[in-house]
Amino acid sequence: MVKTRFAPSPTGYLHIGGARTALFNWLFARHMKGSFVLRIEDTDLERSKDEYVKDIIDGLTWLGIDWDEPPYFQRERMDIYRNYALNLIEKGFAYRCYCTQEEIDRKRKVALKEGKKPHYDRTCRERPFEKTDKPFVIRFKTPLTGEVTFSDIVRGTITFQCEELDDLIILRSDLTPTYNFTVVIDDMLMGITHVIRGDDHINNTPRQILIYHAFGYAPPQFAHVPLIHGKDRTRLSKRHGATSLLEYKHEGFLPEALMNYLSRLGWAHGDQEIFSREELIEKFDLHNVGTSAAIFDMDKLLWLNSHYMKTLPPEVIAQRLVPFIEAMGFSCNETKKLISIVETLKARAKTLKEMAQMAAFFFSAPVSYEKEAQEKFLTPETKTILKDFLIEFKSLSSLHEEEQKRLVERLTHKYNKKVVEIVQPIRVALSGKTVTPGIFEVINILGREEVEKRIEKAIQSIP
RNA sequence: GGUCCCAUCGUCUAGUGGUUAAGGACACUGGCCUCUCACGCCAGAAACACGAGUUCAAAUCUCGUUGGGACUACCA
């Protein structure tokens, strides 16, 4: 059975790139009816933070990614790694190295200067065991010759010469294990069948394969997916805008849109652009994953988001809109009204945040009018029209669109004006703005009483 | 520097040697619709990095060049 994992290190927020890697792992597992696990690689005691663990878990959850076993924390498994490292020494695949860091740094600088590889010179590799209190690290005994080849699912065959590889440290002097060792131990112990990760790990793969060999264990399948780059075509990092995936949530993006967008970054299914979660699971395939890095495109994300704003049930959008409305200091306990607002705004707002801003005037009367709107549409001339409108509006038997339309038409004839010249003053009076949803919809949502109040107020504001 | 990876419109991509004057989508431009703004609809501009080779035939295969990226830690 297929088993995949997402193995982030909590040394930073879950960003778009990590989320995409997680998504691919999750989609592949779900597609293959296998399982997916989350493993927090927090062996870097210095830089790992609980705050980031929370961000990762919350971010994935928001996206709609779930895992089949409780999350693993490498920090809780230190003994396991130590034992396996010791075991490797016994088997002759690793050795204690007593060289000091200063020594090694010095030698590396010299080697670099002479144009040689900055590798550890393997001083301790064949040193006979001696009892000493000196601190040591454990290094893996990389074969001096030969090559390592593996078949990557997305890239095909990749080969490395062993002589290019270093005797990497697998256990630090403080007895904590290093990345290239823990991944192998955990992937092995957890029975991971497919390792799907960013292509920044291609260079690590041969080292890891060698460790698998040392344990006599067949390596999993590897699938290295291209990285996501920022506009400057370098690896995505903090300086490319939104740091955390949750930042997108706070900016009013829908998880459906993010998932759809992320899935299409490096993967395609013919010409299809819109995928539901179920469709993604059904159609996702590692063989259709591309090989070149993609640049994050906010415009396309916005387009997808606006698509889901329009197509998700209004009740769902309304529910998700609530926190944004409340953040502006309004309370929205009238569900029916809120849904009407969503209906009228869903084709106009690209994000929930934007929708909330557009909806503000439904919750409180304008305290002031946009300057230009006021100058242009709240004039002595339109004052007359507004007064007339108010009288007729009060006598309307219902707020049906047809009836409102007739009212406006009567006014256009009476004053010999275009529709827009009648509607805009009303719009400004009701919203303070020149841009709103259709005027009849606005009137309907506001309701008789509120409309009358606001028109009245506008009339009074005109000298 | 060394090793490895990558290269189709501005961006995401379809394309797996042959009706492809290279298709779709976002963005962009123009038009239609229209009470403002959106939405929607129609149209348009826009790409196979370069050079050899293989082949009857190459965006597709090979090599080289150029360009970009990643890795090269007692980070992951």
Side-chain angles (χ1 to χ4, degrees):
Chain A
M1 188 177 88
V2 163
K3 188 170 181 183
T4 64
R5 60 15 175 224
F6 175 53
S9 75
T11 52
Y13 298 106
L14 175 70
H15 55 78
I16 287 287
R20 206 268 315 250
T21 302
L23 178 63
F24 278 16
N25 274 285
W26 179 80
L27 284 175
F28 183 68
R30 292 286 170 265
H31 176 79
M32 301 298 285
K33 305 242 185 299
S35 65
F36 169 76
V37 300
L38 176 62
R39 186 173 72 223
I40 305 294
E41 308 218 325
D42 52 359
T43 52
D44 185 340
L45 275 13
E46 301 278 306
R47 298 194 301 146
S48 296
K49 284 188 188 159
D50 289 346
E51 175 195 354
Y52 297 136
V53 173
K54 185 178 187 317
D55 184 79
I56 290 165
I57 289 179
D58 290 352
L60 293 175
T61 304
W62 176 70
L63 233 202
I65 290 178
D66 55 352
W67 38 93
D68 302 307
E69 294 169 26
Y72 293 94
F73 291 85
Q74 291 191 323
R75 201 174 288 193
E76 296 165 2
R77 301 163 60 80
M78 294 299 198
D79 290 345
I80 299 174
Y81 310 124
R82 259 166 232 154
N83 287 335
Y84 275 92
L86 259 17
N87 176 255
L88 233 36
I89 295 183
E90 281 166 26
K91 295 208 259 187
F93 287 111
Y95 60 92
R96 290 183 179 79
C97 169
Y98 296 93
C99 298
T100 64
Q101 194 144 7
E102 296 73 46
E103 235 176 298
I104 290 168
D105 285 347
R106 211 196 65 239
K107 284 177 180 172
R108 179 178 294 130
K109 269 182 200 154
V110 173
L112 226 38
K113 215 171 189 175
E114 292 172 354
K116 289 192 223 147
K117 298 185 207 314
H119 285 173
Y120 171 58
D121 67 358
R122 296 173 163 135
T123 303
C124 301
R125 187 181 235 237
E126 303 302 342
R127 174 184 290 186
F129 182 73
E130 53 183 287
K131 204 143 168 71
T132 165
D133 292 335
K134 282 206 297 191
F136 64 90
V137 298
I138 297 181
R139 285 183 185 273
F140 183 73
K141 209 181 268 187
T142 301
L144 272 8
T145 56
E147 56 181 39
V148 182
T149 293
F150 65 99
S151 175
D152 191 281
I153 296 175
V154 334
R155 284 161 210 274
T157 304
I158 300 176
T159 302
F160 289 84
Q161 300 303 320
C162 286
E163 58 196 80
E164 299 295 339
L165 273 21
D166 210 344
D167 278 2
L168 74 162
I169 291 172
I170 58 177
L171 204 71
R172 288 181 272 252
S173 50
D174 65 356
L175 300 182
T176 59
T178 60
Y179 164 73
N180 279 110
F181 190 60
T182 59
V183 242
V184 173
I185 300 303
D186 279 345
D187 285 341
M188 204 163 71
L189 260 27
M190 293 172 191
I192 302 302
T193 59
H194 298 258
V195 170
I196 304 165
R197 58 181 16 168
D199 69 13
D200 50 334
H201 287 288
I202 290 180
N203 290 295
N204 289 323
T205 308
R207 311 172 216 286
Q208 293 166 13
I209 287 176
L210 256 12
I211 298 174
Y212 279 106
H213 289 339
F215 285 110
Y217 193 91
Q221 295 269 299
F222 293 98
H224 288 99
V225 305
L227 258 24
I228 297 173
H229 286 175
K231 282 252 186 284
D232 59 358
R233 294 190 177 274
T234 64
R235 191 178 171 163
L236 213 54
S237 66
K238 309 103 232 153
R239 61 198 154 79
H240 293 105
T243 52
S244 167
L245 184 71
L246 290 176
E247 191 67 24
Y248 291 91
K249 177 186 179 186
H250 298 136
E251 285 302 310
F253 285 91
L254 300 164
E256 288 83 356
L258 255 306
M259 181 177 278
N260 196 151
Y261 179 69
L262 255 22
S263 72
R264 285 284 288 96
L265 236 40
W267 173 80
H269 187 263
D271 284 340
Q272 190 171 346
E273 297 286 350
I274 305 293
F275 295 89
S276 68
R277 175 191 156 104
E278 290 68 32
E279 233 174 335
L280 246 18
I281 291 172
E282 181 198 327
K283 291 174 173 167
F284 184 78
D285 181 0
L286 282 177
H287 295 285
N288 291 327
V289 173
T291 47
S292 58
I295 293 174
F296 180 76
D297 181 9
M298 183 60 94
D299 283 331
K300 189 142 186 182
L301 209 212
L302 277 167
W303 172 72
L304 273 166
N305 206 63
S306 54
H307 169 81
Y308 285 103
M309 294 285 282
K310 282 176 288 198
T311 53
L312 250 27
E315 310 83 65
V316 172
I317 300 294
Q319 196 190 336
R320 297 185 192 173
L321 182 64
V322 171
F324 291 88
I325 300 285
E326 288 175 345
M328 293 194 306
F330 305 123
S331 69
C332 36
N333 25 33
E334 293 173 74
T335 309
K336 262 184 80 178
K337 178 180 172 185
L338 194 60
I339 290 174
S340 303
I341 291 173
V342 169
E343 288 279 16
T344 191
L345 250 23
K346 67 181 186 182
R348 287 165 234 267
K350 289 189 194 303
T351 66
L352 291 170
K353 193 176 177 181
E354 200 183 10
M355 185 179 269
Q357 284 158 358
M358 288 176 170
F361 77 87
F362 285 117
F363 294 93
S364 74
V367 282
S368 66
Y369 305 99
E370 283 176 2
K371 192 164 174 288
E372 283 183 31
Q374 185 172 22
E375 285 168 2
K376 194 167 174 193
F377 297 112
L378 298 183
T379 63
E381 188 187 10
T382 60
K383 185 174 185 173
T384 318
I385 299 173
L386 283 172
K387 276 180 171 169
D388 212 345
F389 171 79
L390 186 57
I391 293 165
E392 291 220 34
F393 181 77
K394 283 178 173 168
S395 67
L396 241 38
S397 62
S398 87
L399 292 188
H400 286 142
E401 182 167 333
E402 285 310 311
E403 223 171 307
Q404 293 193 52
K405 226 173 198 162
R406 277 196 290 276
L407 197 173
V408 170
E409 267 165 28
R410 281 201 297 281
L411 293 173
T412 58
H413 288 127
K414 183 168 174 186
Y415 293 96
N416 192 27
K417 295 284 188 191
K418 287 188 237 165
V419 174
V420 62
E421 293 171 293
I422 302 296
V423 168
Q424 281 303 71
I426 299 171
R427 192 187 308 280
V428 174
L430 297 178
S431 70
K433 308 188 292 181
T434 54
V435 175
T436 76
I439 197 68
F440 307 131
E441 297 168 68
V442 170
I443 288 172
N444 262 303
I445 292 171
L446 249 22
R448 271 203 137 93
E449 197 185 330
E450 189 63 26
V451 170
E452 286 166 19
K453 254 166 63 185
R454 293 189 186 187
I455 298 285
E456 192 77 58
K457 193 176 156 194
I459 291 169
Q460 280 164 15
S461 78
I462 303 171

